[in-house]
Amino acid sequence: SYVLTQPPSVSVAPGKTARITCGGNNIGGKSVHWYQQKPGQAPVLVIYYDSDRPSGIPERFSGSNSGNTATLTISRVEAGDEADYYCQVWDSSSDHPFGGGTKLTVL
Amino acid sequence: EVQLVESGGGLVQPGGSLRLSCAASGFTLRTYWMSWVRQAPGKGLEWVANIKQDGSEKYYVDSVKGRFTISRDNAKNSLYLQMNSLRAEDTAVYYCARPEAGYFFFWGQGTLVTVSS
């Protein structure tokens, strides 16, 4: 099965830029989706198809995907962005893995 | 407004069975693939199963194959997950989700399944 690798944690000061990576074999050839999950809540889609933002998601959230790494970038980080973030691909009819998740801490 | 509401979770002994339900509203269930995704306590998200609109295709993560069965009743706007031979490692919050061309936009609030003696 296809494996997605994320760093367990990322820390950033308010107002700075956070970058969360998602590694996978030739992930640049796949579509990557990103979710934000706060404690006790269901995940929320923040980026789909590598870099598209759903309605209601701030422009501060952006994504890119190339080679073996996809990246979620959060600009001008706010305290409310503190959450777990997961990447996900739809690899085939029978495999739709998520990354292990990255805990974003706002210092 | 799209709503997905899971039910049926609870405490079950190892080797036992449980049936989860997901009530869908705000959209026509029969026109969409549907999925179950789970999250063990303090762990990450794990896709569990998918089912095609008419139930003719079903897919499972390897760890539940032969033990879990996904099904649907479009007339009742409901999705199900029959879980047999439950193990401690199946303990998780189970989410019903609607896939949209590869990503999950709509999620339920989840139902907790605890497998313990």
Side-chain angles (χ1 to χ4, degrees):
Chain A
S1 62
Y2 193 74
V3 177
L4 296 172
T5 302
Q6 297 182 237
S9 63
V10 167
S11 298
V12 63
K16 301 299 186 182
T17 297
R19 294 180 179 85
I20 299 172
T21 59
C22 176
N25 185 30
N26 193 29
I27 196 173
K30 303 180 185 299
S31 292
V32 179
H33 318 296
W34 290 92
Y35 303 85
Q36 175 194 70
Q37 187 181 35
K38 297 182 178 180
Q41 298 182 17
V44 173
L45 182 74
V46 293
I47 292 289
Y48 64 102
Y49 290 147
D50 299 339
S51 58
D52 289 342
R53 269 180 297 104
S55 174
I57 300 301
E59 292 183 8
R60 301 184 297 104
F61 287 80
S62 62
S64 62
N65 185 17
S66 178
N68 293 317
T69 304
T71 303
L72 172 69
T73 300
I74 309 172
S75 304
R76 303 180 300 281
V77 167
E78 303 174 355
D81 298 331
E82 189 162 283
D84 294 327
Y85 291 85
Y86 297 90
C87 58
Q88 177 251 327
V89 299
W90 192 277
D91 189 48
S92 68
S93 295
S94 59
D95 193 5
H96 316 297
F98 289 87
T102 298
K103 180 177 180 59
L104 176 67
T105 299
V106 181
L107 301 171
Chain B
E1 178 191 7
V2 171
Q3 283 197 320
L4 300 169
V5 179
E6 302 92 338
S7 61
L11 175 64
V12 60
Q13 292 188 340
S17 298
L18 211 55
R19 188 196 197 204
L20 305 184
S21 299
C22 171
S25 60
F27 68 102
T28 305
L29 183 68
R30 67 176 181 271
T31 62
Y32 290 92
W33 282 78
M34 293 297 294
S35 301
W36 288 97
V37 176
R38 68 183 178 182
Q39 185 171 35
K43 303 297 184 182
L45 300 169
E46 180 182 41
W47 166 77
V48 174
N50 280 354
I51 185 169
K52 195 177 179 180
Q53 289 91 330
D54 61 359
S56 61
E57 295 181 34
K58 303 176 184 181
Y59 301 96
Y60 302 91
V61 67
D62 286 347
S63 60
V64 309
K65 285 179 181 176
R67 301 188 299 121
F68 289 13
T69 301
I70 188 172
S71 64
R72 63 195 296 161
D73 186 334
N74 290 332
K76 294 183 177 180
N77 292 318
S78 293
L79 175 72
Y80 306 102
L81 186 67
Q82 177 66 44
M83 304 185 295
N84 299 331
S85 302
L86 282 162
R87 307 166 180 167
E89 54 264 35
D90 296 318
T91 294
V93 173
Y94 284 75
Y95 294 100
C96 167
R98 194 181 91 178
E100 310 274 343
Y103 56 89
F104 301 99
F105 187 80
F106 294 105
W107 298 71
Q109 85 289 349
T111 187
L112 176 62
V113 173
T114 303
V115 184
S116 175
S117 54

